[in-house]
Amino acid sequence: MDGEREADEIVVVPKKELEEKEELIKSLEAKARKMKSDFSRYKEQIEDKEEVIRRKAYSELANRLLSVADTLDRAMDSQETDGGCEVVEKMLEGTRSNLGMTYNQLLNAIGVTPIVPLPGERFDDELHTAIETTPNSFLPDKAVVSLVRKGYMLNGELIRPAEVVISKGGEPGEEEIKTETTPDTILSKFIRRVESRLFKRKFKELKEREQELSKNEEMLRNSVKELDAREEEIKKRMEEWTARKEAEESRIRELEQRKEVLTAELEESKRQLSIIHEHLKALDAKKDKMIIESIALNRYNKELLAEKEKLLNAIEEMERTKESVNAELRELEERKARSIEELFKVEEELEKTKELLNAELRKKEGREEKRKESSLMELEMLC
């Protein structure tokens, strides 16, 4: 029986406590949403910062390597020959192809696109820089005449404009006429000697340029090392961000678990609240019954009030009678007081009379004593 009673008992939770739990759940949900939004914003900020750092690093590396690219470009342009020794031409061609391959590999490695405007192309002030103007009637105004130095773009962003010579739209300059001379035997020997000297000189220049390229390659390696160091720093930041992300995710999981617990408590509270509502309905029915009874009681009260008015009227009459009786009593009291005064006077007179009588009695007793003594004396004398 006790177990059934305990099972049938209803745990009544105050409405204020339910509202506090609902407010707590809402605040926790809002806090979780805010943490998620803050975390997403923080993630976006970190990604933006990483992108800015990456772009800045690549831009600095590209700016440092532009001198190497310019050196390779000048080396390829300077190795043009007007004919001569076939061996020298083959060596120069091989060197030119190697330099071109190195140049292209360098540009591909750093993600740089060269800007090479062709002669006759329209001048673009966003990509080109005019360092000189020359009159030319064969080209339109502000057209590219020749390229002085290449420009470069990194991931769609301009890091250096191309330096060009543009046309002014004037008379063309006089063309130089090249005269061809028919060499003779002595001249051909002299030319071969000159070509051999030129070959030695160019070979020496190639060695110097090779040394310069090795220096530039060393600088490129240092830049790559710096880039690797920055990548390591970015990785460390990513690891820190990942650790922080995991901590935030664990905190979010804890909040979700707490939310589930509070949700279960809220469901239990709602169930208890529904039971309370049923009890409230029963109480409302009792209330209706009590209202009906109160209406009947009001009618009975009205009847009682009518009787009360009658009683009050009777009490007023009794009060008036009481006042008249009190007046009579006061008169009787006054009479009594006068009677008492008269009685006191009579008693005083009686006391005085009593004293007089006592005095007379004492006198009579003295007289009788004297008579007795005289009688005794007479008897003694007679005896």
Side-chain angles (χ1 to χ4, degrees):
M1 292 294 289
D2 294 335
E4 291 178 357
R5 286 179 182 175
E6 290 178 358
D8 293 336
E9 284 181 357
I10 298 168
V11 180
V12 179
V13 180
K15 188 176 180 181
K16 186 177 180 181
E17 187 176 351
L18 289 174
E19 292 176 353
E20 289 177 356
K21 287 185 178 180
E22 288 179 355
E23 290 177 358
L24 180 61
I25 290 170
K26 289 179 181 178
S27 64
L28 289 173
E29 289 177 350
K31 192 174 181 181
R33 287 194 296 270
K34 185 179 179 183
M35 288 179 68
K36 286 182 180 178
S37 62
D38 292 341
F39 181 72
S40 61
R41 284 197 297 272
Y42 175 74
K43 184 178 178 181
E44 291 175 358
Q45 290 176 0
I46 292 296
E47 290 176 353
D48 293 339
K49 287 181 180 178
E50 289 175 356
E51 185 65 25
V52 170
I53 292 170
R54 192 180 294 108
R55 287 183 180 179
K56 189 176 180 181
Y58 278 116
S59 178
E60 290 178 358
L61 178 61
N63 287 323
R64 290 183 182 181
L65 295 179
L66 285 182
S67 59
V68 181
D70 291 336
T71 303
L72 291 173
D73 194 17
R74 286 195 299 271
M76 288 188 294
D77 292 338
S78 65
Q79 291 175 1
E80 295 179 357
T81 60
D82 296 332
C85 183
E86 186 177 354
V87 178
V88 175
E89 288 181 359
K90 288 182 179 180
M91 289 180 66
L92 292 175
E93 186 66 28
T95 305
R96 190 182 298 111
S97 63
N98 291 330
L99 290 174
M101 189 181 298
T102 305
Y103 177 74
N104 293 326
Q105 287 177 355
L106 177 62
L107 295 182
N108 292 328
I110 61 178
V112 173
T113 305
I115 302 172
V116 185
L118 299 174
E121 188 177 337
R122 185 67 180 171
F123 175 75
D124 188 354
D125 55 356
E126 293 182 358
L127 301 176
H128 307 152
T129 299
I131 61 172
E132 187 181 352
T133 57
T134 179
N136 194 327
S137 61
F138 297 102
L139 294 174
D141 191 22
K142 291 186 179 180
V144 176
V145 177
S146 62
L147 175 65
V148 178
R149 191 170 68 163
K150 293 180 181 180
Y152 296 97
M153 294 182 71
L154 176 64
N155 297 324
E157 294 182 0
L158 182 67
I159 57 175
R160 192 180 75 184
E163 297 177 357
V164 296
V165 177
I166 61 173
S167 63
K168 195 176 181 182
E171 293 293 331
E174 295 181 356
E175 297 180 356
E176 296 181 354
I177 302 172
K178 296 182 180 179
T179 58
E180 296 181 358
T181 58
T182 57
D184 53 3
T185 307
I186 298 170
L187 186 59
S188 63
K189 290 180 181 180
F190 177 74
I191 289 171
R192 281 196 295 272
R193 288 178 183 176
V194 171
E195 285 178 352
S196 64
R197 290 178 182 176
L198 288 172
F199 173 74
K200 290 179 181 178
R201 188 181 298 169
K202 287 186 178 182
F203 188 74
K204 187 177 180 180
E205 289 178 358
L206 285 173
K207 284 186 177 180
E208 291 176 355
R209 286 176 182 173
E210 188 177 357
Q211 291 176 358
E212 186 178 356
L213 286 174
S214 63
K215 290 180 182 178
N216 291 330
E217 187 178 359
E218 185 67 26
M219 186 173 66
L220 178 62
R221 287 176 182 173
N222 294 330
S223 300
V224 170
K225 287 180 181 179
E226 290 179 1
L227 183 61
D228 291 337
R230 290 189 179 182
E231 285 182 356
E232 289 294 329
E233 185 179 355
I234 291 170
K235 285 180 181 178
K236 288 180 181 178
R237 289 184 181 178
M238 286 292 291
E239 289 175 357
E240 292 177 358
W241 175 77
T242 305
R244 188 172 179 182
K245 177 183 176 183
E246 291 176 355
E248 293 293 335
E249 286 178 351
S250 63
R251 189 176 178 185
I252 289 169
R253 284 195 294 271
E254 290 177 359
L255 288 173
E256 287 178 351
Q257 291 175 359
R258 190 175 178 185
K259 177 185 173 183
E260 290 176 357
V261 173
L262 290 173
T263 305
E265 291 180 358
L266 182 62
E267 291 295 330
E268 181 66 22
S269 300
K270 286 181 179 178
R271 187 182 66 80
Q272 293 177 0
L273 188 62
S274 63
I275 296 170
I276 291 169
H277 282 311
E278 291 177 358
H279 282 279
L280 287 174
K281 288 179 181 178
L283 290 173
D284 288 334
K286 290 181 180 179
K287 180 182 176 182
D288 294 335
K289 186 177 179 181
M290 291 177 70
I291 289 169
I292 294 168
E293 291 177 354
S294 66
I295 292 169
L297 287 172
N298 286 329
R299 292 177 182 174
Y300 181 69
N301 286 330
K302 288 179 180 178
E303 293 176 358
L304 288 175
L305 287 172
E307 291 180 359
K308 182 180 178 181
E309 288 178 357
K310 292 178 181 179
L311 289 172
L312 288 173
N313 293 327
I315 288 168
E316 287 178 356
E317 291 178 359
M318 290 176 70
E319 287 290 333
R320 287 193 293 271
T321 306
K322 182 180 178 182
E323 288 178 357
S324 62
V325 170
N326 287 330
E328 292 177 358
L329 286 173
R330 282 194 295 273
E331 289 178 0
L332 289 172
E333 288 290 334
E334 290 176 357
R335 290 178 184 176
K336 182 180 177 181
R338 286 194 296 271
S339 299
I340 289 168
E341 288 178 358
E342 291 176 356
L343 183 62
F344 283 150
K345 290 178 180 180
V346 170
E347 286 180 354
E348 288 177 356
E349 290 177 356
L350 287 172
E351 287 290 332
K352 290 178 180 180
T353 306
K354 186 177 179 181
E355 289 177 356
L356 291 173
L357 290 172
N358 288 328
E360 289 179 358
L361 285 172
R362 283 193 295 273
K363 287 178 180 181
K364 285 180 179 182
E365 287 178 355
R367 288 173 184 172
E368 287 179 357
E369 286 290 332
K370 287 179 179 181
R371 284 177 184 176
K372 284 180 180 181
E373 288 177 358
S374 63
S375 299
L376 288 172
M377 289 177 67
E378 287 177 357
L379 286 172
E380 287 178 358
M381 290 177 66
L382 289 174
C383 292

